[in-house]
């Protein structure tokens, strides 16, 4: 992360940002998502960035962003997909805030958050979902839920990425990342088809 910060700063790639802001972007946003693990996700992303479509790359960004933010995983699985499965068409600001208050009550935060913190994090959660294509137009405090389906090549990429990062076969089937795409019940068949097609 320190090397990336020096490179971005010296090359003037984000001229509109102060050095302090730039350091925050690199250390708190980029590094946890794309420089984590022994083999950083950034390496795989560099390989496919010219071969995958913008929509496919966006889904990979979605996965790595969620991997770095457990609260976002929980929100998508427990709120977005639960509401989607229940036939709902919208998510409200109240849904996001209620989810956070429940997490606080369940002891999932190190301390009791203020109402202002809850509001800010709720905005972050719904904003991420909108950025990555799970939520669409906003009407006052409600967002329209959009159909969200994993792209075929993204599924293949993530299956191999998890495999080569040391996730075993059984763990691969049950890995929580698939729940981000609403796939838990389909995983066995999907992976069998993938591995058969690629002779793995």
């Amino acid at each position: 992360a320190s090397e990336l910060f020096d490179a971005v700063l010296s090359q003037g790639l984000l001229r509109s940002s102060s050095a302090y802001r730039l350091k925050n972007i690199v250390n708190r946003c980029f590094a946890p998502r794309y420089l984590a693990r022994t083999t950083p996700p950034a390496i795989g992303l560099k390989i496919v960035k010219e071969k995958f479509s913008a929509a496919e790359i966006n889904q990979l960004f979605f996965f790595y962003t969620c991997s770095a933010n457990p609260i976002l995983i929980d929100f998508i699985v427990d709120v977005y997909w639960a509401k989607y499965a229940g036939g709902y068409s919208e998510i409200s600001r109240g849904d996001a805030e209620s989810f956070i208050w429940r997490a606080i009550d369940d002891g999932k935060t190190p301390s009791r958050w203020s109402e202002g913190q809850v509001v800010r994090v709720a905005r972050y959660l719904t904003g991420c979902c909108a950025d990555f294509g799970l939520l669409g137009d906003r009407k006052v405090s409600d967002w329209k839920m959009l159909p969200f389906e994993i792209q075929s090549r993204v599924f293949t990429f993530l299956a191999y990425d998890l495999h080569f990062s040391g996730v075993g076969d059984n763990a691969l089937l049950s890995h929580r990342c698939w729940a981000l795409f609403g796939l838990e019940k389909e995983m066995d068949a999907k992976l069998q088809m993938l591995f058969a097609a690629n002779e793995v």
Side-chain angles (χ1 to χ4, degrees), residues 34-198:
Y34 309 116
L35 298 180
R37 302 190 330 211
T38 304
T39 304
I43 293 175
L45 289 169
K46 285 179 71 174
I47 293 171
V48 300
K49 71 184 179 72
E50 301 297 338
K51 301 172 184 177
F52 276 24
S53 68
E56 289 169 325
I57 292 293
N58 196 52
Q59 286 197 349
L60 293 177
F61 288 161
F62 165 72
F63 168 72
Y64 292 117
T65 298
C66 290
S67 297
N69 295 279
I71 192 172
L72 182 56
I73 297 178
D74 288 346
F75 179 72
I76 291 168
V77 174
D78 298 340
V79 179
Y80 174 86
W81 284 112
K83 294 197 70 140
Y84 193 88
Y88 292 88
S89 60
E90 293 180 333
I91 283 180
S92 69
R93 183 177 67 186
D95 291 327
E97 292 179 4
S98 295
F99 159 78
I100 297 169
W101 285 120
R102 283 195 304 274
I104 293 170
D105 290 339
D106 290 342
K108 294 184 177 180
T109 56
S111 61
R112 191 84 186 169
W113 288 1
S114 68
E115 187 169 343
Q117 285 177 294
V118 170
V119 169
R120 284 194 299 274
V121 175
R123 285 180 185 154
Y124 166 77
L125 296 174
T126 52
C128 280
C129 288
D131 289 344
F132 290 117
L134 286 79
L135 299 178
D137 296 335
R138 178 182 177 185
K139 295 180 180 178
V140 189
S141 62
D142 294 339
W143 287 261
K144 181 180 179 182
M145 298 176 67
L146 301 177
F148 189 73
E149 184 176 359
I150 192 169
Q151 303 258 352
S152 176
R153 292 200 296 181
V154 171
F155 178 84
T156 303
F157 180 95
L158 291 179
Y160 278 100
D161 184 46
L162 290 168
H163 172 72
F164 288 118
S165 68
V167 177
D169 293 347
N170 290 332
L172 185 59
L173 277 172
S174 59
H175 199 281
R176 197 160 191 224
C177 80
W178 306 121
L180 289 169
F181 300 93
L183 286 178
E184 302 107 311
K185 295 179 181 178
E186 305 170 42
M187 280 311 303
D188 195 26
K190 273 188 170 287
L191 280 174
Q192 285 183 17
M193 287 170 46
L194 167 66
F195 290 162
N198 291 279

